[in-house]
Amino acid sequence: MARALLRLGALALLLLLVVSVGRPGDAAALLPLASAADDDYKHCKGVVKGWADSAAGREKDGDKLSLKDLLFFLHIPRTGGRTYFHCFLKKLYTNAQECPRSYDKLRFDPSHPDCTLVVSHDDYSLLSKLPSERTSVVTILRNPVDRVFSTYEFSVEVAARFLVHPNISSAKLMTNRVLKKSRAVSTLDIWPWKYLVPWMREDLFARRDARGNEVHSSKKVNAYDVEDMVMPLHQYINDPVAHEIIHNGATFQITGLTNNSYFDGAHEVRHCVRKYPDLGRLVLEVAKNRLDRMLYVGLTEDHEESARLFAHMVGAQVLSQSATLNLDIKEDLPSGNDSHTSMLDPEDEDTNEHLNSTHGWQNSEAPNVTDDHGKGNMTIGKLMEAYETCIAKLRNSQSSRRKISLKKVEEANFSKEARKLVPEAVLKQMISLNSLDMELYEHAKKIFTQEHLMLKEHAVVGQHRQLAEQKVCQTQRADFGWISVLCNNGICSPWMVVLLGLGITMIIVFVSVVTTRRRTSKLKV
């Protein structure tokens, strides 16, 4: 309503200006344009509202706290999802249980009985291909500004690896050869990197060609504004590619409206929301409702507590369901010869899950390994120990990988400290461009707090139950304490059982005889 009033006010002002200068013909010319704009807004509002109503109608209430048959880890890029995959899920699920990964298209049959874990950059619309009533969804959110920073850094890092080639044509040719020979998925096959990396790669080569053999100054520079080497951050966030893929990316991914969506109308809905930002409220509400229904929502910034919550809320249920399996808790890191797999700095524990098998259940047998803590004896405590060991190795690897990758553009020395040098105006623009994600992130923090309280309540209830069980045991031990005198740790030998039986029989006979004599003596009197 407010938007309509503003639009009418602006139109009235324009008409007044035109009339005041004696050019009524110009006012008449403006009327069709205003009418067309109103019609376009109404059309977009109908499109977005229709989608939102349909999405809300498909949502079903249920027990969100119970793990269902299939776990869908909706991996929002640059949130630390790779850490959870390698250091949690690979410890909880066997190879046989993991569905072939689907980062750019559906690569598996969801009805396959062995498919119980889906980890994917695919957006929420993938659920339309899964047995939604039997699927639990989990995800991790990150502060939108940090996520944009990390997306920019990773785009540069992966693209910079191609600078070892003499020119862009050579880099593309070699990439195509590698992809044809490989039976795996590379970074350039995975959304959103299949768009962002080639874009950045071409820009890096163009800047290298432009500077030629020019010698650079060794003076300290802002790592996010090394214009002669790398596309500056301020230019990156304003490019149409960033508007299409990066900004409000978490909201569009959770609502299933990315440019990788399985919903045919996703592009039109996304286009309308970008054109008329007030319509984003409808999309945001759908995203919030979906977060509310998820089994688990983690936060990248609150890493330790998020990991603990995941272990207790998700890991405990997986272990309960898989109690009879011999689970692998060995370190499962990418191989060192993976030229397109990269590790990032400690604050960015997410990287590409690249060069993964995509050929169905070819290697579906459970791994034949020795559990460091004993086969089939995984506990939450042991899971957390395995997680800590795994993440430490990941951090070391990703730090080394980043240094090597950025060697050709060493002045782009990305770090937390370097981020502080980014102008305030750029930071404010990043916040403005990701307004939906900013609000969704705040909602996720509330959910995270609720999860934490639920876990504490569950722990208190567990403690009370344990105390009650201990009291019962103590009472039982008191009642049968005399047995423990005769038996060793509750185990009685056969002769001891015979003696106990004879003793009890003699006591019963003695009591009976005494009672009979008393009755007889009373009768004689």
Side-chain angles (χ1 to χ4, degrees), residues 60-135:
K60 296 180 180 179
D61 292 326
D63 183 8
K64 65 161 281 184
L65 297 180
S66 297
L67 175 66
K68 299 176 184 176
D69 299 335
L70 177 63
L71 179 65
F72 172 26
F73 186 177
L74 194 160
H75 181 185
I76 298 171
R78 315 314 304 149
T79 59
R82 181 178 184 275
T83 298
Y84 275 60
F85 173 68
H86 280 285
C87 301
F88 267 140
L89 296 174
K90 292 290 283 185
K91 316 299 180 189
L92 294 167
Y93 288 87
T94 63
N95 290 344
Q97 294 174 298
E98 185 187 349
C99 310
R101 276 158 249 172
S102 171
Y103 285 94
D104 56 333
K105 61 183 178 182
L106 195 65
R107 295 174 174 269
F108 61 92
D109 177 9
S111 65
H112 195 290
D114 290 336
C115 177
T116 58
L117 172 65
V118 177
V119 182
S120 178
H121 283 183
D122 277 315
D123 63 31
Y124 198 91
S125 65
L126 177 64
L127 212 61
S128 65
K129 306 293 182 181
L130 305 177
S132 56
E133 70 283 354
R134 295 190 296 107
T135 302

Coordinates of all heavy atoms in Angstrom, one line a residue, residues 60-135:
K60 N 4.2 -29.6 5.5 CA 3.5 -30.4 6.4 C 4.1 -30.4 7.8 O 5.3 -30.5 7.9 CB 3.4 -31.9 5.9 CG 2.6 -32.0 4.6 CD 2.6 -33.5 4.1 CE 1.8 -33.6 2.8 NZ 1.8 -35.0 2.3
D61 N 3.3 -30.3 8.8 CA 3.8 -30.3 10.1 C 4.1 -31.7 10.5 O 3.5 -32.7 10.1 CB 2.8 -29.7 11.1 CG 2.6 -28.2 10.9 OD1 3.5 -27.6 10.6 OD2 1.4 -27.8 11.1
G62 N 5.1 -31.9 11.4 CA 5.5 -33.2 11.8 C 6.5 -33.1 13.0 O 6.7 -32.0 13.5
D63 N 7.0 -34.2 13.4 CA 8.0 -34.2 14.5 C 9.3 -33.8 13.9 O 10.1 -34.7 13.4 CB 8.0 -35.6 15.1 CG 9.0 -35.7 16.3 OD1 9.5 -34.6 16.7 OD2 9.2 -36.8 16.8
K64 N 9.7 -32.6 14.0 CA 10.9 -32.1 13.4 C 12.2 -32.6 14.2 O 13.3 -32.6 13.6 CB 11.0 -30.6 13.4 CG 11.0 -29.9 14.7 CD 11.5 -28.5 14.6 CE 13.0 -28.4 14.6 NZ 13.5 -27.1 14.6
L65 N 12.0 -33.1 15.4 CA 13.1 -33.5 16.2 C 13.5 -34.9 15.9 O 14.6 -35.4 16.4 CB 12.8 -33.3 17.7 CG 12.5 -31.9 18.2 CD1 12.2 -31.9 19.6 CD2 13.7 -31.0 17.9
S66 N 12.7 -35.7 15.2 CA 13.0 -37.1 14.9 C 13.6 -37.2 13.5 O 13.1 -36.8 12.6 CB 11.8 -37.9 15.0 OG 11.2 -37.9 16.3
L67 N 14.8 -37.9 13.5 CA 15.4 -38.2 12.2 C 14.6 -39.2 11.4 O 14.3 -40.3 11.9 CB 16.8 -38.8 12.5 CG 17.6 -39.2 11.2 CD1 18.0 -38.0 10.4 CD2 18.9 -39.9 11.7
K68 N 14.4 -38.9 10.2 CA 13.6 -39.8 9.3 C 14.5 -40.7 8.5 O 15.7 -40.7 8.7 CB 12.7 -38.9 8.4 CG 11.7 -38.1 9.2 CD 10.9 -37.2 8.3 CE 9.9 -36.3 9.1 NZ 9.2 -35.3 8.3
D69 N 13.9 -41.4 7.5 CA 14.7 -42.4 6.8 C 15.9 -41.8 6.0 O 16.9 -42.4 5.9 CB 13.8 -43.1 5.8 CG 12.7 -43.9 6.5 OD1 12.9 -44.2 7.7 OD2 11.6 -44.1 5.9
L70 N 15.7 -40.6 5.4 CA 16.6 -39.9 4.6 C 17.1 -38.6 5.1 O 16.2 -37.8 5.5 CB 16.1 -39.7 3.2 CG 16.9 -39.0 2.1 CD1 18.2 -39.8 1.8 CD2 16.2 -38.8 0.8
L71 N 18.4 -38.4 5.2 CA 18.9 -37.1 5.7 C 19.4 -36.3 4.5 O 20.3 -36.7 3.8 CB 20.0 -37.3 6.7 CG 20.7 -36.0 7.3 CD1 19.7 -35.2 8.1 CD2 21.9 -36.4 8.1
F72 N 18.8 -35.1 4.3 CA 19.3 -34.2 3.3 C 20.0 -33.0 3.9 O 19.4 -32.2 4.6 CB 18.0 -33.7 2.5 CG 18.3 -32.6 1.5 CD1 19.5 -32.4 0.9 CD2 17.3 -31.7 1.1 CE1 19.8 -31.4 0.0 CE2 17.5 -30.7 0.2 CZ 18.8 -30.6 -0.4
F73 N 21.3 -33.0 3.7 CA 22.2 -31.9 4.2 C 22.2 -30.8 3.0 O 22.9 -31.0 2.1 CB 23.6 -32.4 4.5 CG 24.5 -31.4 5.1 CD1 25.8 -31.7 5.5 CD2 24.1 -30.0 5.3 CE1 26.6 -30.8 6.1 CE2 24.9 -29.1 5.9 CZ 26.2 -29.5 6.3
L74 N 21.4 -29.8 3.2 CA 21.3 -28.7 2.2 C 22.5 -27.8 2.5 O 22.5 -27.0 3.4 CB 20.0 -27.9 2.4 CG 19.6 -27.0 1.3 CD1 18.1 -26.7 1.4 CD2 20.3 -25.7 1.4
H75 N 23.5 -28.0 1.7 CA 24.8 -27.3 1.9 C 24.9 -26.0 1.2 O 25.0 -25.9 0.0 CB 25.9 -28.2 1.3 CG 27.3 -27.7 1.5 ND1 28.4 -28.3 1.0 CD2 27.8 -26.6 2.2 CE1 29.5 -27.6 1.4 NE2 29.1 -26.5 2.0
I76 N 24.7 -24.9 2.0 CA 24.9 -23.5 1.5 C 26.4 -23.3 1.4 O 27.1 -23.4 2.3 CB 24.2 -22.5 2.4 CG1 22.7 -22.8 2.5 CG2 24.5 -21.1 2.0 CD1 22.0 -22.0 3.6
P77 N 26.9 -22.9 0.2 CA 28.3 -22.7 0.0 C 28.9 -21.7 0.9 O 28.2 -20.7 1.3 CB 28.4 -22.2 -1.5 CG 27.2 -22.8 -2.1 CD 26.1 -22.7 -1.1
R78 N 30.1 -22.0 1.4 CA 30.9 -21.1 2.2 C 30.3 -21.0 3.7 O 30.4 -20.0 4.3 CB 31.0 -19.7 1.6 CG 31.3 -19.6 0.2 CD 32.4 -20.6 -0.3 NE 33.7 -20.3 0.4 CZ 34.6 -21.3 0.7 NH1 34.4 -22.5 0.3 NH2 35.7 -21.0 1.4
T79 N 29.8 -22.1 4.2 CA 29.3 -22.1 5.5 C 29.9 -23.1 6.4 O 29.6 -23.2 7.6 CB 27.7 -22.4 5.5 OG1 27.5 -23.6 4.9 CG2 27.0 -21.3 4.8
G80 N 30.9 -23.8 5.9 CA 31.6 -24.9 6.7 C 31.0 -26.2 6.5 O 31.3 -27.2 7.3
G81 N 30.2 -26.4 5.5 CA 29.5 -27.7 5.2 C 30.5 -28.8 4.9 O 30.2 -30.0 5.3
R82 N 31.6 -28.6 4.3 CA 32.5 -29.6 4.0 C 33.1 -30.2 5.3 O 33.3 -31.5 5.3 CB 33.7 -29.1 3.1 CG 34.7 -30.1 2.7 CD 35.8 -29.6 1.9 NE 36.7 -30.6 1.4 CZ 37.7 -31.0 2.1 NH1 38.0 -30.5 3.3 NH2 38.5 -32.0 1.6
T83 N 33.3 -29.4 6.3 CA 33.8 -30.0 7.6 C 32.8 -30.9 8.1 O 33.2 -32.0 8.6 CB 34.0 -28.8 8.6 OG1 35.0 -27.9 8.0 CG2 34.5 -29.3 9.9
Y84 N 31.5 -30.6 8.1 CA 30.5 -31.5 8.6 C 30.4 -32.8 7.8 O 30.2 -33.8 8.4 CB 29.1 -30.8 8.6 CG 28.9 -29.9 9.8 CD1 29.7 -28.8 10.1 CD2 27.8 -30.2 10.7 CE1 29.5 -28.0 11.2 CE2 27.6 -29.4 11.8 CZ 28.4 -28.3 12.1 OH 28.2 -27.5 13.2
F85 N 30.6 -32.6 6.5 CA 30.5 -33.8 5.7 C 31.6 -34.8 6.0 O 31.4 -36.0 6.3 CB 30.5 -33.4 4.2 CG 30.6 -34.6 3.3 CD1 29.6 -35.5 3.2 CD2 31.8 -34.9 2.6 CE1 29.6 -36.6 2.4 CE2 31.9 -36.0 1.7 CZ 30.8 -36.9 1.6
H86 N 32.9 -34.3 6.0 CA 34.0 -35.2 6.2 C 34.2 -35.6 7.7 O 34.6 -36.7 7.9 CB 35.3 -34.5 5.7 CG 35.5 -34.6 4.2 ND1 35.8 -35.8 3.6 CD2 35.3 -33.7 3.2 CE1 35.9 -35.6 2.3 NE2 35.5 -34.4 2.0
C87 N 33.9 -34.7 8.6 CA 34.3 -34.9 10.0 C 33.1 -35.4 10.8 O 33.3 -35.8 12.0 CB 34.9 -33.7 10.6 SG 36.4 -33.1 9.7
F88 N 31.9 -35.4 10.3 CA 30.7 -35.9 11.0 C 30.0 -37.0 10.2 O 30.0 -38.2 10.6 CB 29.7 -34.8 11.3 CG 29.9 -34.2 12.7 CD1 29.7 -32.8 12.8 CD2 30.2 -34.9 13.8 CE1 29.9 -32.2 14.0 CE2 30.3 -34.3 15.0 CZ 30.2 -32.9 15.1
L89 N 29.5 -36.6 9.0 CA 28.6 -37.5 8.3 C 29.4 -38.7 7.8 O 28.9 -39.8 7.7 CB 28.0 -36.7 7.1 CG 27.0 -35.6 7.6 CD1 26.5 -34.8 6.4 CD2 25.9 -36.2 8.4
K90 N 30.7 -38.5 7.4 CA 31.5 -39.7 6.9 C 31.8 -40.6 8.0 O 32.2 -41.7 7.8 CB 32.7 -39.2 6.2 CG 32.5 -38.5 4.9 CD 32.0 -39.4 3.8 CE 33.1 -40.3 3.2 NZ 32.7 -41.1 2.1
K91 N 31.7 -40.1 9.3 CA 31.9 -41.0 10.4 C 30.6 -41.7 10.8 O 30.6 -42.8 11.4 CB 32.3 -40.2 11.7 CG 33.4 -39.1 11.4 CD 34.6 -39.7 10.9 CE 35.7 -38.6 10.6 NZ 36.8 -39.1 9.9
L92 N 29.5 -41.1 10.4 CA 28.2 -41.7 10.9 C 27.5 -42.6 9.8 O 26.8 -43.5 10.2 CB 27.2 -40.5 11.2 CG 27.6 -39.6 12.4 CD1 26.7 -38.4 12.3 CD2 27.3 -40.4 13.7
Y93 N 27.8 -42.4 8.6 CA 27.2 -43.1 7.5 C 28.3 -43.9 6.7 O 29.4 -43.4 6.5 CB 26.5 -42.2 6.5 CG 25.2 -41.6 7.0 CD1 25.2 -40.4 7.7 CD2 24.0 -42.2 6.8 CE1 24.1 -39.9 8.2 CE2 22.8 -41.7 7.3 CZ 22.9 -40.5 8.0 OH 21.7 -39.9 8.4
T94 N 28.0 -45.1 6.3 CA 28.9 -45.9 5.5 C 28.8 -45.5 4.0 O 27.8 -44.7 3.7 CB 28.5 -47.4 5.6 OG1 27.2 -47.6 5.0 CG2 28.5 -47.9 7.0
N95 N 29.7 -45.9 3.2 CA 29.6 -45.6 1.8 C 28.4 -46.1 1.2 O 27.8 -45.5 0.2 CB 30.8 -46.2 1.1 CG 32.1 -45.5 1.4 OD1 32.1 -44.4 2.0 ND2 33.3 -46.2 1.2
A96 N 27.9 -47.2 1.7 CA 26.7 -47.9 1.1 C 25.5 -47.0 1.4 O 24.5 -47.0 0.6 CB 26.5 -49.2 1.7
Q97 N 25.5 -46.2 2.4 CA 24.3 -45.4 2.8 C 24.3 -44.0 2.1 O 23.2 -43.4 2.0 CB 24.3 -45.2 4.3 CG 24.0 -46.4 5.1 CD 24.2 -46.1 6.6 OE1 25.2 -45.7 7.1 NE2 23.1 -46.4 7.3
E98 N 25.4 -43.6 1.6 CA 25.5 -42.3 1.0 C 25.0 -42.3 -0.5 O 25.5 -43.1 -1.3 CB 26.9 -41.7 1.1 CG 27.0 -40.3 0.5 CD 28.5 -39.8 0.4 OE1 29.3 -40.6 1.0 OE2 28.7 -38.8 -0.2
C99 N 24.1 -41.4 -0.8 CA 23.6 -41.3 -2.2 C 24.7 -40.7 -3.0 O 25.4 -39.8 -2.5 CB 22.3 -40.5 -2.3 SG 21.0 -41.0 -1.1
P100 N 24.9 -41.0 -4.3 CA 25.8 -40.3 -5.1 C 25.5 -38.8 -5.1 O 24.3 -38.4 -5.2 CB 25.6 -40.9 -6.5 CG 25.1 -42.3 -6.2 CD 24.2 -42.1 -5.0
R101 N 26.5 -38.0 -5.0 CA 26.3 -36.6 -4.8 C 25.7 -35.9 -6.0 O 26.0 -36.3 -7.1 CB 27.6 -35.9 -4.3 CG 27.7 -36.0 -2.8 CD 29.2 -35.9 -2.4 NE 29.6 -37.2 -1.9 CZ 30.9 -37.4 -1.6 NH1 31.8 -36.5 -1.8 NH2 31.3 -38.6 -1.2
S102 N 24.9 -34.9 -5.8 CA 24.1 -34.3 -6.9 C 24.3 -32.8 -6.8 O 23.4 -32.1 -6.2 CB 22.6 -34.7 -6.7 OG 21.8 -33.9 -7.6
Y103 N 25.4 -32.2 -7.3 CA 25.6 -30.8 -7.2 C 25.2 -30.0 -8.4 O 25.1 -28.8 -8.3 CB 27.1 -30.6 -7.0 CG 27.6 -31.0 -5.6 CD1 28.1 -32.2 -5.3 CD2 27.5 -30.1 -4.6 CE1 28.5 -32.6 -4.1 CE2 27.9 -30.4 -3.3 CZ 28.4 -31.7 -3.0 OH 28.8 -32.0 -1.8
D104 N 24.8 -30.6 -9.5 CA 24.4 -29.8 -10.6 C 23.2 -30.4 -11.3 O 22.5 -29.8 -12.0 CB 25.6 -29.8 -11.7 CG 26.0 -31.1 -12.1 OD1 25.9 -32.1 -11.2 OD2 26.5 -31.3 -13.2
K105 N 22.9 -31.7 -11.0 CA 21.7 -32.3 -11.5 C 21.5 -33.6 -10.7 O 22.3 -34.1 -10.0 CB 21.9 -32.7 -13.0 CG 23.0 -33.6 -13.3 CD 23.1 -33.9 -14.8 CE 24.3 -34.8 -15.1 NZ 24.5 -35.0 -16.5
L106 N 20.3 -34.2 -10.8 CA 19.9 -35.4 -10.1 C 20.7 -36.5 -10.7 O 20.5 -36.9 -11.8 CB 18.4 -35.6 -10.1 CG 17.9 -36.7 -9.1 CD1 18.1 -36.1 -7.7 CD2 16.4 -37.0 -9.4
R107 N 21.6 -37.1 -9.9 CA 22.5 -38.2 -10.4 C 22.2 -39.5 -9.7 O 23.0 -40.4 -9.8 CB 23.9 -37.8 -10.0 CG 24.4 -36.6 -10.8 CD 25.8 -36.2 -10.3 NE 26.4 -35.1 -11.1 CZ 27.1 -35.3 -12.2 NH1 27.4 -36.5 -12.6 NH2 27.6 -34.2 -12.8
F108 N 21.0 -39.7 -9.1 CA 20.7 -41.0 -8.5 C 19.2 -41.2 -8.4 O 18.4 -40.3 -8.6 CB 21.3 -41.0 -7.1 CG 20.7 -39.9 -6.1 CD1 19.7 -40.2 -5.3 CD2 21.3 -38.7 -6.1 CE1 19.1 -39.2 -4.5 CE2 20.8 -37.7 -5.3 CZ 19.7 -38.0 -4.5
D109 N 18.9 -42.4 -8.1 CA 17.5 -42.8 -7.9 C 17.1 -42.7 -6.4 O 17.6 -43.5 -5.6 CB 17.2 -44.2 -8.4 CG 15.8 -44.7 -8.1 OD1 15.0 -43.9 -7.7 OD2 15.6 -45.9 -8.3
P110 N 16.3 -41.7 -6.0 CA 16.0 -41.4 -4.6 C 15.3 -42.6 -3.9 O 15.3 -42.7 -2.7 CB 15.2 -40.2 -4.6 CG 15.4 -39.5 -5.9 CD 15.7 -40.7 -6.9
S111 N 14.7 -43.4 -4.7 CA 13.9 -44.5 -4.2 C 14.8 -45.7 -3.8 O 14.3 -46.7 -3.3 CB 12.8 -45.0 -5.1 OG 13.4 -45.5 -6.3
H112 N 16.1 -45.6 -4.2 CA 17.0 -46.7 -3.9 C 17.1 -47.0 -2.4 O 17.2 -46.0 -1.6 CB 18.4 -46.4 -4.4 CG 19.3 -47.6 -4.5 ND1 19.8 -48.2 -3.4 CD2 19.8 -48.2 -5.6 CE1 20.6 -49.2 -3.7 NE2 20.6 -49.2 -5.1
P113 N 16.9 -48.2 -1.9 CA 16.8 -48.5 -0.5 C 18.0 -48.1 0.3 O 18.0 -47.9 1.5 CB 16.5 -50.0 -0.4 CG 17.0 -50.5 -1.8 CD 16.7 -49.4 -2.8
D114 N 19.2 -48.1 -0.4 CA 20.4 -47.8 0.3 C 20.7 -46.3 0.5 O 21.6 -45.9 1.1 CB 21.6 -48.5 -0.4 CG 21.6 -50.0 -0.3 OD1 21.0 -50.5 0.7 OD2 22.2 -50.7 -1.2
C115 N 19.9 -45.5 -0.2 CA 20.1 -44.1 -0.2 C 19.5 -43.5 1.1 O 18.3 -43.2 1.1 CB 19.5 -43.5 -1.5 SG 19.6 -41.7 -1.6
T116 N 20.3 -43.2 2.0 CA 19.9 -42.6 3.3 C 20.5 -41.2 3.6 O 20.2 -40.6 4.7 CB 20.1 -43.6 4.5 OG1 21.5 -43.9 4.6 CG2 19.3 -44.8 4.3
L117 N 21.5 -40.8 2.8 CA 22.2 -39.5 3.1 C 22.4 -38.8 1.7 O 23.0 -39.3 0.8 CB 23.5 -39.8 3.7 CG 24.4 -38.5 3.9 CD1 23.8 -37.5 4.8 CD2 25.8 -39.0 4.4
V118 N 21.9 -37.6 1.7 CA 22.1 -36.7 0.5 C 22.8 -35.4 1.0 O 22.3 -34.7 1.9 CB 20.8 -36.3 -0.2 CG1 21.1 -35.3 -1.3 CG2 20.0 -37.5 -0.7
V119 N 24.0 -35.2 0.4 CA 24.8 -34.0 0.8 C 24.9 -33.2 -0.5 O 25.5 -33.7 -1.5 CB 26.1 -34.3 1.4 CG1 26.9 -33.0 1.7 CG2 26.0 -35.2 2.6
S120 N 24.4 -32.0 -0.6 CA 24.3 -31.3 -1.9 C 24.3 -29.8 -1.8 O 23.7 -29.3 -0.9 CB 23.1 -31.8 -2.7 OG 23.0 -31.2 -3.9
H121 N 24.8 -29.1 -2.9 CA 24.6 -27.7 -3.0 C 23.3 -27.4 -3.7 O 22.9 -26.3 -3.8 CB 25.7 -27.1 -3.9 CG 27.1 -26.9 -3.2 ND1 28.1 -26.4 -3.8 CD2 27.5 -27.2 -2.0 CE1 29.2 -26.3 -3.0 NE2 28.8 -26.8 -1.9
D122 N 22.6 -28.5 -4.1 CA 21.3 -28.3 -4.7 C 20.4 -27.5 -3.7 O 20.5 -27.7 -2.5 CB 20.6 -29.6 -5.0 CG 21.1 -30.2 -6.4 OD1 21.1 -29.4 -7.3 OD2 21.4 -31.3 -6.5
D123 N 19.5 -26.7 -4.3 CA 18.6 -25.9 -3.4 C 17.4 -26.8 -2.9 O 17.3 -28.0 -3.2 CB 18.1 -24.6 -4.0 CG 17.3 -24.9 -5.3 OD1 16.6 -25.9 -5.3 OD2 17.3 -24.0 -6.2
Y124 N 16.6 -26.2 -2.1 CA 15.5 -26.9 -1.5 C 14.5 -27.6 -2.5 O 13.8 -28.5 -2.1 CB 14.7 -25.9 -0.6 CG 13.8 -26.6 0.4 CD1 14.3 -26.8 1.7 CD2 12.5 -26.9 0.2 CE1 13.5 -27.4 2.7 CE2 11.7 -27.5 1.1 CZ 12.2 -27.7 2.4 OH 11.4 -28.3 3.4
S125 N 14.5 -27.1 -3.7 CA 13.6 -27.7 -4.7 C 14.0 -29.2 -5.0 O 13.2 -29.9 -5.6 CB 13.7 -26.9 -6.0 OG 14.9 -27.0 -6.6
L126 N 15.2 -29.6 -4.6 CA 15.6 -31.0 -4.8 C 14.6 -31.9 -4.0 O 14.4 -33.1 -4.4 CB 17.0 -31.2 -4.3 CG 17.5 -32.7 -4.3 CD1 17.6 -33.2 -5.7 CD2 18.9 -32.8 -3.6
L127 N 14.0 -31.3 -3.0 CA 13.1 -32.1 -2.2 C 11.9 -32.6 -3.0 O 11.3 -33.6 -2.6 CB 12.6 -31.3 -1.0 CG 12.3 -32.1 0.3 CD1 13.5 -32.8 0.9 CD2 11.7 -31.2 1.4
S128 N 11.6 -32.0 -4.1 CA 10.5 -32.4 -4.9 C 10.9 -33.7 -5.6 O 10.0 -34.4 -6.1 CB 10.2 -31.3 -6.0 OG 11.3 -31.2 -6.9
K129 N 12.1 -34.1 -5.7 CA 12.6 -35.3 -6.3 C 12.8 -36.4 -5.2 O 13.1 -37.6 -5.5 CB 13.9 -35.1 -7.0 CG 13.9 -34.0 -8.1 CD 13.0 -34.4 -9.2 CE 13.0 -33.3 -10.3 NZ 12.0 -33.6 -11.4
L130 N 12.7 -36.0 -3.9 CA 13.0 -37.0 -2.8 C 11.6 -37.4 -2.2 O 10.6 -36.7 -2.3 CB 13.9 -36.3 -1.8 CG 15.2 -35.8 -2.3 CD1 16.0 -35.1 -1.1 CD2 16.1 -36.9 -2.9
P131 N 11.6 -38.4 -1.4 CA 10.4 -38.8 -0.6 C 10.3 -37.8 0.5 O 10.7 -38.1 1.7 CB 10.7 -40.2 -0.2 CG 12.2 -40.3 -0.2 CD 12.7 -39.5 -1.3
S132 N 9.7 -36.7 0.3 CA 9.7 -35.6 1.3 C 9.2 -36.0 2.6 O 9.6 -35.5 3.7 CB 9.0 -34.4 0.7 OG 7.6 -34.7 0.4
E133 N 8.1 -36.8 2.6 CA 7.5 -37.2 3.9 C 8.5 -38.1 4.7 O 8.3 -38.2 5.9 CB 6.2 -37.9 3.7 CG 6.3 -39.3 3.1 CD 6.6 -39.3 1.6 OE1 6.6 -38.2 1.0 OE2 6.8 -40.4 1.0
R134 N 9.5 -38.6 4.1 CA 10.5 -39.5 4.8 C 11.8 -38.8 4.9 O 12.8 -39.5 5.1 CB 10.5 -40.8 4.1 CG 9.3 -41.6 4.2 CD 9.4 -43.1 3.7 NE 9.8 -43.2 2.3 CZ 11.1 -43.5 1.9 NH1 12.0 -43.7 2.8 NH2 11.3 -43.6 0.6
T135 N 11.9 -37.5 4.7 CA 13.2 -36.8 4.6 C 13.3 -35.8 5.7 O 12.4 -34.9 5.8 CB 13.4 -36.2 3.2 OG1 13.3 -37.2 2.2 CG2 14.7 -35.5 3.1

